[in-house]
Amino acid sequence: MTTTTTAGRTRPGYDDLPRLMWLMTGDEKHTAAATSTLDVIWVLYDRVLRVAPEPGWLPDRDRFLLSKGHGPMAYYAVLAAHGFLPEEWLAGWGRFDSPLGYHPDRNLVPGVEISSGSLGHGLPIAVGTALGLRAQGLDARTVVLVGDAELDEGSNHEAIELAGALALDRLTVVVIDNRSSTWNRPGLIEGRFSHEGWEVVTVDGRDHDALERALHSSTGRPTAVVAEVEEKS
Amino acid sequence: MSDPRQTFARAATALLDEDPSVALVYAEISGQFFADAERSHPDRVINVGIREQLLVNVGAGLALTGMRPIVHTFGSFLVERAFEQIKLGFSHQDVGGVLVGSGGSFDAASAGRTHQAPGDVALIDTLPGWTVHVPGHATEVEDALRLAVAGSGRDYVRVVSQQNTEAFPVRPGRFHVLRRGAGPTVVAVGPVLDAVVAATGGLDATVLYASTVRPFDGRGLREVLSGPEVVLVEPYLAGTSSRVVSDALVDVPHRLLALGVGAEELRRYGTPRQHVAAHGLDAAGIRASLEVFLGQSTRLARERSSART
């Protein structure tokens, strides 16, 4: 399925994502179902975030921070589908002369807000970003994507506590929960956030409408959306 | 003389009043000085609590939105505990910010090793492009902070209690030439200057003063060099700047004596002054090291001349 943009140009749709990801991996197994983050990132860019490629890269744009920088194929595919980067870049990913690495670099890839890869940095940076936007009176959201195992990094808990205490209502964390954390147990993630005063919504991470509803929830508190996907996907 | 840490707090407060793009992030430490600033600018003065990893990355996040963050706690927790946050939050993202670490090598002498950070400059020095200020006077603290905040780069300001009697203008990349002589060239960094001046009394030495040590004024060092002997005196880990001296003098035969805080853990409490002496950084200690070093030079010269005859 392709979508016609307001400029009359057609741009790739959700159904094109496997093809775009195949350009990077050459691996047919990297379909939507095999990539834990794909549906969340697609819904964010397609239905939620107020962002656009240059020249729409404005101070009051919404910020999407991919903290879980591992396996960024879905991210690159969505950015390509939305015109942030040319499709031609995808095939060379990971090579010396490619701007697309196995972890994304904001200084190399248009549309990428943070360089990530080392776990436990995106959420603390997102708290600073939300504070910076608030201090400047900019009405923009900050959405950060983390993995359930990534939440084991203690640095996240420093951020969860402060965001809750300061009621950063324009901050949203999406936790991709594929139960890859070694010591995971039911309710652990929800408990961590709700204990610190966050709004917590758990949804099916493949259900676009449910994700959209959860990502639009507004309660005057920071929001954690736990997006459940297949185990270890 | 004003207290350097209080001077930092006053200057930071004034900068918050003057410039709406400035933000201050701190982690409890020095909070006693920031009550007014917090009242005046609740959105731009953020105490993150005892959370140093968060401290640094909140600064980075503020910078990503276009603000100029001043990020402060003790140097031990700012640079050593949160080093990866400095590396990734600021350097790898390629955003600017001003880190202000207090306490230095042994302000907290009586508190022990946990609160001492003689390795802070060496750690920062593993990252390219940081401007490192080592003010030796409260006035230099204010000037360095103002200069750093007015810029857009990455700055580390090392605020310690030890001070020299005289302040010098802060000018990154250019050392001050205090004395010219035909003998050794001594580079004094920040608060060690008074001891260096006393230790070099009666010696035909050149004395340079650096309150900003990165960028390192290698050109200035080359210009004043009158002999092969170069002496670095730094108030943190000995040898931190040896590498940059070596780079500056790569084509100039020279001998280097690098004085500073020893790597070995002292396991003593007491006062900063006692730690200065224990690391050989008081005037007597520096003088003694100089005499051994220069004595070696004399012996080497004698051996060379006897080898020729």
Side-chain angles (χ1 to χ4, degrees):
Chain A
M1 184 187 79
T2 55
T3 309
T4 305
T5 65
T6 46
R9 218 162 21 86
T10 57
R11 72 165 189 234
Y14 180 77
D15 294 344
D16 292 288
L17 295 179
R19 176 181 62 80
L20 295 172
M21 288 169 60
W22 184 86
L23 287 171
M24 283 172 273
T25 61
D27 180 351
E28 286 175 39
K29 286 191 303 238
H30 275 93
T31 54
T35 305
S36 63
T37 57
L38 187 127
D39 292 276
V40 167
I41 297 177
W42 175 258
V43 168
L44 280 166
Y45 278 83
D46 199 49
R47 306 187 187 183
V48 179
L49 298 171
R50 288 180 315 172
V51 288
E54 296 275 15
W57 201 240
L58 301 168
D60 66 347
R61 69 186 181 277
D62 288 341
R63 303 312 201 265
F64 173 64
L65 278 58
L66 180 76
S67 182
K68 188 184 110 69
H70 300 291
M73 295 89 76
Y75 187 35
Y76 293 152
V78 172
L79 286 174
H82 280 262
F84 286 90
L85 57 92
E87 268 188 42
E88 296 75 59
W89 286 12
L90 298 176
W93 87 305
R95 290 213 296 253
F96 189 73
D97 56 356
S98 171
L100 307 182
Y102 288 7
H103 300 127
D105 185 338
R106 67 182 292 271
N107 296 290
L108 298 177
V109 190
V112 168
E113 294 282 4
I114 58 162
S115 309
S116 57
S118 180
L119 299 176
H121 289 270
L123 179 46
I125 290 175
V127 169
T129 301
L131 285 165
L133 294 169
R134 181 155 101 172
Q136 294 172 82
L138 296 168
D139 180 36
R141 298 182 60 178
T142 304
V143 180
V144 56
L145 187 154
V146 302
D148 69 297
E150 178 181 10
L151 280 178
D152 290 349
E153 292 283 4
S155 55
N156 290 307
H157 299 276
E158 298 184 0
I160 292 168
E161 289 154 12
L162 186 71
L166 297 179
L168 295 179
D169 59 332
R170 302 294 277 157
L171 175 67
T172 300
V173 174
V174 186
V175 184
I176 301 293
D177 183 10
N178 60 0
R179 289 169 297 290
S180 58
S181 163
T182 296
W183 302 106
N184 74 79
R185 60 177 193 271
L188 178 65
I189 297 169
E190 288 83 350
R192 284 166 165 173
F193 284 96
S194 60
H195 186 262
E196 301 300 337
W198 289 57
E199 175 74 12
V200 185
V201 192
T202 300
V203 294
D204 176 352
R206 301 298 181 193
D207 182 336
H208 292 196
D209 292 334
L211 281 167
E212 183 185 4
R213 273 194 307 278
L215 289 163
H216 275 130
S217 110
S218 176
T219 60
R221 296 189 287 164
T223 305
V225 176
V226 181
E228 293 182 329
V229 295
E230 308 74 21
E231 195 160 328
K232 305 271 167 77
S233 60
Chain B
M1 237 186 307
S2 304
D3 173 70
R5 191 160 138 220
Q6 287 182 34
T7 302
F8 151 66
R10 262 199 312 275
T13 302
L15 286 161
L16 285 158
D17 292 339
E18 293 162 23
D19 184 346
S21 72
V22 173
L24 170 69
V25 198
Y26 70 100
E28 300 296 353
I29 302 304
S30 303
Q32 66 270 36
F33 306 126
F34 295 132
D36 289 345
E38 216 147 0
R39 257 193 308 278
S40 307
H41 312 288
D43 279 350
R44 291 191 282 127
V45 179
I46 302 143
N47 176 11
V48 300
I50 305 174
R51 298 180 175 90
E52 288 83 11
Q53 300 183 73
L54 180 63
L55 169 79
V56 175
N57 268 340
V58 161
L62 288 162
L64 281 163
T65 69
M67 301 193 76
R68 186 71 172 152
I70 299 171
V71 178
H72 169 65
T73 186
F74 289 142
S76 47
F77 312 139
L78 179 65
V79 179
E80 294 180 329
R81 184 189 292 240
F83 181 71
E84 198 200 23
Q85 278 72 13
I86 296 174
K87 170 189 153 192
L88 298 181
F90 284 96
S91 290
H92 184 46
Q93 306 302 326
D94 194 13
V95 292
V98 181
L99 306 186
V100 181
S102 60
S105 300
F106 31 58
D107 276 10
S110 60
R113 182 70 175 102
T114 56
H115 286 57
Q116 299 168 1
D120 57 347
V121 175
L123 269 170
I124 291 279
D125 204 30
T126 63
L127 304 171
W130 283 78
T131 300
V132 178
H133 305 272
V134 188
H137 191 281
T139 303
E140 294 173 7
V141 168
E142 168 152 11
D143 292 352
L145 185 72
R146 285 190 167 275
L147 195 67
V149 170
S152 58
R154 291 182 278 276
D155 292 73
Y156 177 56
V157 186
R158 191 179 204 264
V159 177
V160 301
S161 60
Q162 193 188 347
Q163 299 192 65
N164 304 312
T165 47
E166 194 187 343
F168 291 84
V170 173
R171 43 180 217 196
R174 272 173 70 214
F175 294 165
H176 293 274
V177 183
L178 301 196
R179 267 175 57 194
R180 294 294 294 267
T185 300
V186 185
V187 182
V189 179
V192 302
L193 179 62
D194 279 2
V196 166
V197 168
T200 51
L203 288 179
D204 193 13
T206 295
V207 176
L208 301 180
Y209 175 61
S211 76
T212 303
V213 75
R214 297 289 182 284
F216 190 87
D217 185 11
R219 204 181 66 170
L221 174 63
R222 289 175 69 101
E223 277 172 5
V224 300
L225 216 59
S226 51
E229 289 85 17
V230 180
V231 182
L232 268 174
V233 188
E234 299 183 276
Y236 37 76
L237 197 63
T240 298
S241 292
S242 296
R243 174 181 68 79
V244 285
V245 170
S246 172
D247 286 349
L249 303 180
V250 67
D251 56 347
V252 180
H254 66 281
R255 294 178 61 232
L256 174 64
L257 171 67
L259 301 179
V261 176
E264 203 66 37
E265 189 176 332
L266 205 55
R267 292 194 196 280
R268 297 277 187 168
Y269 297 101
T271 65
R273 186 190 290 267
Q274 289 173 311
H275 282 240
V276 167
H279 288 285
L281 293 174
D282 59 350
I286 295 169
R287 180 72 180 208
S289 297
L290 274 174
E291 281 173 1
V292 171
F293 181 63
L294 298 174
Q296 289 166 343
S297 292
T298 312
R299 183 171 49 76
L300 282 169
R302 226 180 5 247
E303 283 169 10
R304 268 199 299 273
S305 83
S306 67
R308 274 198 297 271
T309 52

